[in-house]
Amino acid sequence: MSKNYNPGEASPLEPAPQPVHREPQSPSGATQSQPLPVDFGYDDEHPLLKIPYSVTVAGQRYAGDSISLMQIHAQATEGGMLGNGTRHIAIINFAFESFVLSLHPEVMVISEDVQGKSVFQFTDPTGGHLPQLRYIVNSHIGGDFVSVDGMISYTGPSAPKKPKGEARGHSLMNRVRSLGVAALSVLLIVVAGSVLLQRYSTSYEMHPVFVERAGQKMRATAAGQISYLNPNAAKGEVLYSVNANTGNVLNFTMPCDCEVVVTKGISDGTTVLQTDLILTIYVNTSLIRAQTLMSIEGLNRAMNGDQVHMDLNDGRSIPVEVIASEATTAASLRGDVFVPVELVSEEGALTTKDIGKSARLRLSKGLLGL
C-alpha cells in the first residue's frame, strides 16, 4: 500500500507507517520487511515548524522551509545536488534582531530533487545542538518568537519563572537582607554622627597634667651657684645660699618648721639660672594640687564656659576649674603659646594616693555651643 507524503509539509495527523515484518510463510524462505520511506524520521517524530532560518551544507546555501528536532526541510538557493545518504556538517543560522544563533550539527541527506527541495535528517538528534534548538522550537510553540522579514524577535520572559515556594523563600530572604542593610546603614550613620559630634564638641590639651602635693616653691632669684644647702634648717635659719653672678651672696631663710623636698639634681655647688626650682616647702602634707601647661585657645574656651575634665590614667574623669595665676598672665603677655595654669577639683576628689599620677585635660561644650 503506497501513500503520498510531501516532505515540505508538517507531519500528517495519521500515525507514521510502522515497519512491517512478516514471518516466514514456508520452510523454503521468508519475506523481507517493507523498506521505510526516505523522508521518514523516527517513531516519535516532532512536528515541523515554520521558523525563519538559513542553512549551509557543504558550501551550498539553503533557505529554511521548516524544521523539527529530527529533520530540516529547506530549499536550495544555489549549488548542485549532494546525493542521498551522504553526511555533512550543516551550519544553521537563526537571525535575530541584533545577533545570529548558529548551530553546527551533522546531517544526512535523505531526499532532494532537481527543483532544490531537500530534506536533511540529524544523524545525532541528541547532540550538542539539541538544547539551543529545543529552546527555539519551544519558544516558537509558546508564542515567544515573532518573525518579521526573516528576522526573529524574542518577546518572552527574560528569565524562567521560579516556583511559588522558591519565589516566596527568596522574597522573605530579600526582605530580611534589606532590613539588615537598613539597620547597618542606620548604625553607620549614628556612629559617624557621634564621631563628628565628638570632634566638634571635644578637644584635648597637648601637655599632660601632673598631680602633686601642694607646697611653696623656692626658686633662684638670680643666676649663680649654690654655696650652701640645709634641708633640715629650723625656722629662721638659712635654708640655702646662692653666689650670684653679680658677686652678691643671696641667703634664703626657712619660713616655718615644715617639710622640705629638694629638687632632683640640686646640691652644693650646683649652677642655677634665674627662676630655677631649688626646693619645695610643704606646710600641709594633705593638700593636693594639679598643674599643667595649657594652650591660649584652650584657656579662652575654659574662660568662656567650656566644661573642663581631668581624665586620669586610672579611668576616672574629674571636673576641674582652671585657675590663672600671675605666671599665667606674664606668660600670656610675653606671647607664649602655652601658659602655666592650676587645676582645682572638688574637695576629696584627689587624695594622696593620686600623687605622681598623670592625666589629660579635656574640654567639651554643648551641642549648640552653650
Side-chain angles (χ1 to χ4, degrees), residues 10-85:
S11 300
L13 297 178
E14 298 180 1
Q18 302 295 327
V20 179
H21 179 74
R22 294 191 178 135
E23 299 295 335
Q25 299 297 326
S26 63
S28 60
T31 58
Q32 298 294 329
S33 300
Q34 293 182 355
L36 296 175
V38 294
D39 59 351
F40 180 76
Y42 295 97
D43 292 341
D44 57 346
E45 172 69 282
H46 290 248
L48 292 165
L49 301 176
K50 296 286 186 179
I51 302 177
Y53 71 95
S54 62
V55 61
T56 301
V57 180
Q60 300 188 30
R61 297 182 181 179
Y62 297 82
D65 182 21
S66 58
I67 190 171
S68 72
L69 296 182
M70 302 296 175
Q71 290 184 354
I72 300 173
H73 290 228
Q75 175 67 45
T77 57
E78 61 180 36
M81 300 179 67
L82 300 176
N84 292 344

Side-chain angles (χ1 to χ4, degrees), residues 124-204:
D124 183 10
T126 61
H129 68 283
L130 177 61
Q132 292 82 2
L133 180 59
R134 180 171 55 189
Y135 182 79
I136 293 174
V137 170
N138 291 340
S139 298
H140 180 78
I141 294 175
D144 294 335
F145 281 162
V146 176
S147 59
V148 179
D149 296 334
M151 304 291 288
I152 301 177
S153 176
Y154 181 70
T155 61
S158 58
K161 295 182 180 179
K162 298 180 179 179
K164 292 184 178 179
E166 183 181 355
R168 189 179 300 109
H170 282 287
S171 177
L172 179 60
M173 186 180 301
N174 292 337
R175 185 174 301 176
V176 172
R177 186 182 296 111
S178 300
L179 292 176
V181 172
L184 181 60
S185 300
V186 172
L187 179 61
L188 292 177
I189 292 174
V190 171
V191 172
S194 176
V195 171
L196 292 177
L197 178 61
Q198 184 178 6
R199 288 191 176 185
Y200 168 75
S201 61
T202 306
S203 65
Y204 288 89

Side-chain angles (χ1 to χ4, degrees), residues 295-369:
S295 65
I296 294 296
E297 180 182 358
L299 180 61
N300 288 334
R301 289 183 56 179
M303 294 301 179
N304 290 327
D306 281 14
Q307 299 178 359
V308 184
H309 290 78
M310 187 171 58
D311 295 337
L312 290 146
N313 53 11
D314 58 6
R316 289 181 297 161
S317 182
I318 301 175
V320 294
E321 181 183 358
V322 178
I323 303 299
S325 61
E326 294 182 358
T328 306
T329 303
S332 177
L333 293 176
R334 288 197 304 267
D336 294 347
V337 178
F338 297 96
V339 295
V341 294
E342 290 190 9
L343 306 175
V344 178
S345 61
E346 295 182 358
E347 185 176 356
L350 294 174
T351 64
T352 54
K353 295 181 180 180
D354 298 321
I355 296 175
K357 293 183 178 180
S358 61
R360 296 183 67 188
L361 197 63
R362 173 169 54 88
L363 292 90
S364 60
K365 56 184 174 181
L367 180 61
L368 299 179

